[in-house]
Each structure stands twice: as C-alpha cells, then as structure tokens.
Amino acid sequence: QWFSTPFLLPWYATGLGAPVNPAYMPIPLLPYAQKMNFKERLINTLLTIIFFLGRKFLIIPSVEKMIAEEFPDESVTDLDEFANTAALGINWGSPFLADGLRPVLPNVIQGSLMSCVKPSPLEGEL
C-alpha cells in the first residue's frame, strides 16, 4: 500500500502499473498543461528520463547502502523490485487539482475531494 503526494510521479505510476507517457502527461513539478508544444514535450521527456535514471542510479543505491549499514546482518531487499510489487496506491491527486487528466488503473485511488459521509447499507449479496 502506498500513500503519496497530491500527484502521481512517474516512478509511482510505473510501480503501480499505470501508464507514463511524457508526450501528453507532464511531470507535475513542471508548469506545463497537457497541451504542450514540441519544446515542452522534449523538456518533459528529458526530465522524465533524468528522474528515472537518478532514482535508479543515485537514490535507490544510497538508500540500500543506508539500510545495509543499519542492518548489517540482514540481506537488503532490491528496492526497485519491491516498489514494482505495490498492489494499491492511494493518491491525494485529482483531475481538478495537481494531477490533471490521466489514465489510472483500478489499483490507484484518487483520494482528494472525497466526501466522507456515513455509508448506507449494501443491497443484496456481494
């Protein structure tokens, strides 16, 4: 189970099996909308690649090193593989907030703008 930022970052999306296409899905940290010109698409694509490579070759190894230092007698789990086994993602995003319109799978719950009221009983057998 994941609990995340108000938007679906590319590595969250791939960990949950959701599509990531920088041609029409801007990184939420950039000021772009879905309708991007060629320059914006190119910058968005390059930053997506840089984020993925930075995570894979800088962040993940340094976190695995810290874990190995804290727990020297235990084997370190491959965090990249572990992240790709997430079964559920609860995201505070919404098409009306930071995330914009994007395809999401049934295992991604967009939790913002939810109305929490007392539920009514279910009808029939499930």
Side-chain angles (χ1 to χ4, degrees):
Q1 183 175 1
W2 285 25
F3 187 76
S4 72
T5 57
F7 36 78
L8 208 57
L9 291 168
W11 50 91
Y12 290 165
T14 56
L16 294 165
V20 175
N21 187 343
Y24 72 94
M25 299 165 77
I27 294 175
L29 305 174
L30 295 175
Y32 304 148
Q34 283 184 318
K35 291 186 177 183
M36 296 180 276
N37 60 34
F38 178 75
K39 179 183 173 187
E40 293 170 341
R41 288 175 196 247
L42 181 64
I43 291 170
N44 191 56
T45 301
L46 292 175
L47 280 178
T48 300
I49 292 169
I50 288 169
F51 280 150
F52 273 113
L53 292 176
R55 180 180 178 275
K56 183 168 183 70
F57 295 111
L58 295 175
I59 296 171
I60 296 287
S62 64
V63 171
E64 287 176 346
K65 181 181 174 187
M66 287 190 315
I67 292 172
E69 290 172 359
E70 289 295 320
F71 304 100
D73 299 331
E74 298 181 27
S75 64
V76 178
T77 303
D78 180 4
L79 294 179
D80 207 24
E81 183 180 326
F82 181 69
N84 289 330
T85 61
L88 175 65
I90 300 174
N91 180 287
W92 287 108
S94 164
F96 306 112
L97 296 175
D99 228 8
L101 296 174
R102 65 178 300 126
V104 291
L105 298 175
N107 64 339
V108 178
I109 299 171
Q110 293 187 326
S112 70
L113 302 178
M114 286 178 53
S115 176
C116 298
V117 296
K118 186 175 181 178
S120 57
L122 296 174
E123 297 178 13
E125 188 176 327
L126 297 179

